[in-house]
């Protein structure tokens, strides 16, 4: 009752074709398809191929020994400044 029937959709399609013409509608369809293709390509390039290649930050992670020595030198510097 409240929905659009097939006949109403056909009438709307005929009116749109008469208003815009087939060449303009074909051009709009081609532009829309190219935009969707470009979007999909950009999204697939954004994801890394391997999960191991993905990094959370721009720096290299340190191992535990390096972190401990860095932490001890930082505390020494803090004590010297105080």
């Amino acid at each position: 009752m409240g929905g659009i029937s097939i006949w109403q959709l056909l009438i709307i399609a005929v009116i749109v074709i008469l208003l815009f013409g087939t060449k303009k509608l074909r051009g709009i369809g081609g532009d829309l398809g190219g935009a969707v293709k470009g979007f999909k390509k950009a999204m697939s390039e954004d994801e890394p191929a391997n999960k191991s290649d993905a990094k959370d930050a721009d720096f290299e992670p340190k191992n535990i020994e390096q972190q401990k020595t860095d932490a001890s030198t930082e505390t020494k510097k803090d004590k010297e400044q105080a």
Side-chain angles (χ1 to χ4, degrees):
M1 278 184 35
I4 297 176
S5 70
I6 189 73
W7 295 110
Q8 292 169 337
L9 287 174
L10 286 174
I11 291 170
I12 292 171
V14 168
I15 292 171
V16 168
I17 291 172
L18 289 175
L19 285 176
F20 294 108
T22 56
K23 288 184 181 181
K24 189 159 192 145
L25 289 176
R26 191 178 311 140
I28 291 172
D31 292 342
L32 183 64
V36 170
K37 185 187 289 187
F39 179 75
K40 285 182 179 180
K41 182 179 177 184
M43 291 302 293
S44 66
E45 288 176 356
D46 195 28
E47 298 174 8
N50 295 331
K51 295 280 183 180
S52 62
D53 293 342
K55 294 182 181 178
D56 290 336
D58 292 336
F59 59 88
E60 294 294 325
K62 298 179 180 179
N63 61 23
I64 295 174
E65 290 82 24
Q66 288 177 335
Q67 289 177 354
K68 287 180 182 178
T69 56
D70 289 347
S72 64
T73 56
E74 288 177 7
T75 54
K76 289 179 185 177
K77 289 180 184 177
D78 291 339
K79 288 180 183 178
E80 290 173 1
Q81 289 178 357

